[in-house]
Amino acid sequence: MACLVLDFEGLDVLTHELIGDAVTIGRAPPNDIVIDHPTVSAQYARLTKSPSGYRIKDLESINGTQINGVSIADAQLKNGAEIRFGYITGFFRDAAASIDQIRKLQLPGEHDRPTQIPVRTT
């Protein structure tokens, strides 16, 4: 399951599991994820789930949305992406991507096979 980890200026860290096909983020109470901070617009961004993963769309927020320091209007999210909502930093975590990365690390490659060294007997 994917989640959004929010860091409130180093004072508090909250993890929100992304449930459903669309998740809204903003300062106003009707949002799925409410960020009560003056630099966060009432309707800030929307995360949507697709077969290829999650996308984020800025909802014309005052401060804009940034991924890894780059301003975006709409973008695909990758595991570990840093997202800025005003002065609040979020990190996108995708459990499925993490499992795939671990599997890649665990699969033996051609260089991982034991080398056979001939031994002379006398």
Side-chain angles (χ1 to χ4, degrees):
M1 171 149 308
C3 66
L4 183 65
V5 180
L6 296 174
D7 181 355
F8 289 87
E9 300 174 327
L11 302 173
D12 197 10
V13 177
L14 295 174
T15 300
H16 297 274
E17 288 187 3
L18 303 179
I19 299 170
D21 293 333
V23 176
T24 57
I25 302 165
R27 193 178 66 244
N31 288 290
D32 299 305
I33 298 175
V34 176
I35 304 174
D36 187 17
H37 193 274
T39 62
V40 175
S41 297
Q43 305 295 320
Y44 206 101
R46 178 180 298 116
L47 297 173
T48 53
K49 185 177 182 179
S50 68
S52 61
Y54 280 86
R55 295 192 67 79
I56 186 167
K57 179 179 175 136
D58 183 79
L59 300 177
E60 299 180 12
S61 63
I62 293 170
N63 291 315
T65 302
Q66 294 181 354
I67 297 178
N68 299 327
V70 178
S71 293
I72 60 96
D74 184 277
Q76 184 75 28
L77 286 172
K78 294 183 180 177
N79 186 42
E82 179 183 290
I83 309 166
R84 293 290 305 222
F85 305 102
Y87 289 168
I88 304 301
T89 303
F91 296 93
F92 176 73
R93 301 283 186 240
D94 189 350
S98 297
I99 290 169
D100 289 342
Q101 289 169 348
I102 290 168
R103 284 185 185 144
K104 286 178 187 175
L105 293 173
Q106 291 176 341
L107 291 177
E110 65 181 74
H111 300 293
D112 295 330
R113 295 185 188 136
T115 304
Q116 291 184 357
I117 300 172
V119 178
R120 286 189 194 172
T121 56
T122 56

mmCIF file of all heavy atoms in Angstrom, residues 44 56 58 63-72 82-85:
data_model
loop_
_atom_site.group_PDB
_atom_site.id
_atom_site.type_symbol
_atom_site.label_atom_id
_atom_site.label_comp_id
_atom_site.label_asym_id
_atom_site.label_seq_id
_atom_site.Cartn_x
_atom_site.Cartn_y
_atom_site.Cartn_z
ATOM 1 N N TYR A 44 -5.376 21.946 -2.235
ATOM 2 C CA TYR A 44 -3.988 22.050 -2.684
ATOM 3 C C TYR A 44 -3.652 21.121 -3.849
ATOM 4 O O TYR A 44 -3.169 21.555 -4.890
ATOM 5 C CB TYR A 44 -3.050 21.770 -1.510
ATOM 6 C CG TYR A 44 -1.708 22.424 -1.676
ATOM 7 C CD1 TYR A 44 -1.404 23.599 -1.015
ATOM 8 C CD2 TYR A 44 -0.742 21.875 -2.495
ATOM 9 C CE1 TYR A 44 -0.183 24.215 -1.171
ATOM 10 C CE2 TYR A 44 0.479 22.482 -2.658
ATOM 11 C CZ TYR A 44 0.767 23.650 -1.993
ATOM 12 O OH TYR A 44 1.976 24.262 -2.159
ATOM 13 N N ILE A 56 0.196 13.025 -9.158
ATOM 14 C CA ILE A 56 -0.198 14.165 -8.337
ATOM 15 C C ILE A 56 -0.511 15.321 -9.254
ATOM 16 O O ILE A 56 0.175 15.550 -10.252
ATOM 17 C CB ILE A 56 0.890 14.539 -7.309
ATOM 18 C CG1 ILE A 56 0.370 15.639 -6.377
ATOM 19 C CG2 ILE A 56 2.191 14.925 -7.999
ATOM 20 C CD1 ILE A 56 1.225 15.859 -5.150
ATOM 21 N N ASP A 58 -1.490 19.487 -9.059
ATOM 22 C CA ASP A 58 -1.660 20.702 -8.285
ATOM 23 C C ASP A 58 -3.022 21.299 -8.637
ATOM 24 O O ASP A 58 -3.388 21.380 -9.809
ATOM 25 C CB ASP A 58 -0.546 21.700 -8.612
ATOM 26 C CG ASP A 58 -0.651 22.947 -7.766
ATOM 27 O OD1 ASP A 58 -0.227 22.889 -6.598
ATOM 28 O OD2 ASP A 58 -1.172 23.967 -8.267
ATOM 29 N N ASN A 63 0.942 28.479 -3.487
ATOM 30 C CA ASN A 63 2.389 28.263 -3.449
ATOM 31 C C ASN A 63 2.895 27.220 -4.435
ATOM 32 O O ASN A 63 4.091 27.041 -4.579
ATOM 33 C CB ASN A 63 2.819 27.871 -2.026
ATOM 34 C CG ASN A 63 2.682 29.031 -1.079
ATOM 35 O OD1 ASN A 63 3.079 30.144 -1.388
ATOM 36 N ND2 ASN A 63 2.102 28.788 0.080
ATOM 37 N N GLY A 64 1.991 26.521 -5.102
ATOM 38 C CA GLY A 64 2.407 25.510 -6.065
ATOM 39 C C GLY A 64 2.902 24.242 -5.388
ATOM 40 O O GLY A 64 3.178 24.221 -4.203
ATOM 41 N N THR A 65 2.993 23.187 -6.184
ATOM 42 C CA THR A 65 3.472 21.894 -5.705
ATOM 43 C C THR A 65 4.825 21.610 -6.337
ATOM 44 O O THR A 65 5.017 21.859 -7.523
ATOM 45 C CB THR A 65 2.475 20.772 -6.078
ATOM 46 O OG1 THR A 65 1.197 21.092 -5.515
ATOM 47 C CG2 THR A 65 2.919 19.422 -5.563
ATOM 48 N N GLN A 66 5.742 21.112 -5.540
ATOM 49 C CA GLN A 66 7.066 20.756 -6.036
ATOM 50 C C GLN A 66 7.357 19.293 -5.737
ATOM 51 O O GLN A 66 7.011 18.799 -4.669
ATOM 52 C CB GLN A 66 8.158 21.593 -5.364
ATOM 53 C CG GLN A 66 8.112 23.049 -5.700
ATOM 54 C CD GLN A 66 9.241 23.807 -5.010
ATOM 55 O OE1 GLN A 66 9.978 23.258 -4.201
ATOM 56 N NE2 GLN A 66 9.374 25.069 -5.344
ATOM 57 N N ILE A 67 8.000 18.641 -6.697
ATOM 58 C CA ILE A 67 8.493 17.278 -6.498
ATOM 59 C C ILE A 67 10.002 17.331 -6.665
ATOM 60 O O ILE A 67 10.494 17.760 -7.719
ATOM 61 C CB ILE A 67 7.881 16.283 -7.497
ATOM 62 C CG1 ILE A 67 6.379 16.193 -7.294
ATOM 63 C CG2 ILE A 67 8.526 14.902 -7.335
ATOM 64 C CD1 ILE A 67 5.688 15.270 -8.268
ATOM 65 N N ASN A 68 10.706 16.926 -5.623
ATOM 66 C CA ASN A 68 12.167 16.941 -5.628
ATOM 67 C C ASN A 68 12.713 18.296 -6.079
ATOM 68 O O ASN A 68 13.670 18.383 -6.837
ATOM 69 C CB ASN A 68 12.718 15.805 -6.496
ATOM 70 C CG ASN A 68 12.300 14.447 -5.985
ATOM 71 O OD1 ASN A 68 12.151 14.241 -4.796
ATOM 72 N ND2 ASN A 68 12.080 13.515 -6.893
ATOM 73 N N GLY A 69 12.061 19.369 -5.623
ATOM 74 C CA GLY A 69 12.519 20.723 -5.895
ATOM 75 C C GLY A 69 12.077 21.322 -7.222
ATOM 76 O O GLY A 69 12.414 22.456 -7.534
ATOM 77 N N VAL A 70 11.294 20.596 -8.010
ATOM 78 C CA VAL A 70 10.837 21.070 -9.322
ATOM 79 C C VAL A 70 9.331 21.330 -9.265
ATOM 80 O O VAL A 70 8.568 20.447 -8.874
ATOM 81 C CB VAL A 70 11.154 20.023 -10.420
ATOM 82 C CG1 VAL A 70 10.633 20.487 -11.773
ATOM 83 C CG2 VAL A 70 12.639 19.742 -10.476
ATOM 84 N N SER A 71 8.911 22.538 -9.673
ATOM 85 C CA SER A 71 7.485 22.868 -9.694
ATOM 86 C C SER A 71 6.772 22.039 -10.756
ATOM 87 O O SER A 71 7.270 21.878 -11.869
ATOM 88 C CB SER A 71 7.286 24.353 -9.988
ATOM 89 O OG SER A 71 7.777 25.110 -8.922
ATOM 90 N N ILE A 72 5.606 21.528 -10.393
ATOM 91 C CA ILE A 72 4.827 20.702 -11.324
ATOM 92 C C ILE A 72 3.371 21.139 -11.327
ATOM 93 O O ILE A 72 2.891 21.742 -10.371
ATOM 94 C CB ILE A 72 4.923 19.194 -10.966
ATOM 95 C CG1 ILE A 72 4.388 18.899 -9.539
ATOM 96 C CG2 ILE A 72 6.336 18.689 -11.077
ATOM 97 C CD1 ILE A 72 2.972 18.450 -9.504
ATOM 98 N N GLU A 82 10.101 13.502 -2.894
ATOM 99 C CA GLU A 82 9.858 14.542 -1.898
ATOM 100 C C GLU A 82 8.867 15.536 -2.495
ATOM 101 O O GLU A 82 9.102 16.068 -3.579
ATOM 102 C CB GLU A 82 11.157 15.258 -1.546
ATOM 103 C CG GLU A 82 10.952 16.365 -0.526
ATOM 104 C CD GLU A 82 12.237 17.123 -0.236
ATOM 105 O OE1 GLU A 82 13.130 16.556 0.386
ATOM 106 O OE2 GLU A 82 12.326 18.283 -0.684
ATOM 107 N N ILE A 83 7.771 15.769 -1.793
ATOM 108 C CA ILE A 83 6.711 16.651 -2.284
ATOM 109 C C ILE A 83 6.588 17.828 -1.327
ATOM 110 O O ILE A 83 6.491 17.634 -0.118
ATOM 111 C CB ILE A 83 5.358 15.920 -2.373
ATOM 112 C CG1 ILE A 83 5.516 14.614 -3.154
ATOM 113 C CG2 ILE A 83 4.300 16.817 -3.016
ATOM 114 C CD1 ILE A 83 4.334 13.676 -2.994
ATOM 115 N N ARG A 84 6.550 19.050 -1.872
ATOM 116 C CA ARG A 84 6.379 20.247 -1.035
ATOM 117 C C ARG A 84 4.969 20.781 -1.192
ATOM 118 O O ARG A 84 4.512 21.048 -2.294
ATOM 119 C CB ARG A 84 7.371 21.337 -1.441
ATOM 120 C CG ARG A 84 8.823 21.022 -1.161
ATOM 121 C CD ARG A 84 9.137 21.019 0.302
ATOM 122 N NE ARG A 84 8.759 22.256 0.932
ATOM 123 C CZ ARG A 84 9.476 22.898 1.812
ATOM 124 N NH1 ARG A 84 10.631 22.427 2.195
ATOM 125 N NH2 ARG A 84 9.043 24.023 2.346
ATOM 126 N N PHE A 85 4.290 20.925 -0.049
ATOM 127 C CA PHE A 85 2.973 21.560 0.031
ATOM 128 C C PHE A 85 3.192 22.823 0.858
ATOM 129 O O PHE A 85 3.171 22.762 2.089
ATOM 130 C CB PHE A 85 1.959 20.645 0.723
ATOM 131 C CG PHE A 85 1.832 19.278 0.102
ATOM 132 C CD1 PHE A 85 2.436 18.179 0.692
ATOM 133 C CD2 PHE A 85 1.103 19.096 -1.061
ATOM 134 C CE1 PHE A 85 2.310 16.916 0.138
ATOM 135 C CE2 PHE A 85 0.972 17.841 -1.624
ATOM 136 C CZ PHE A 85 1.578 16.750 -1.026
#
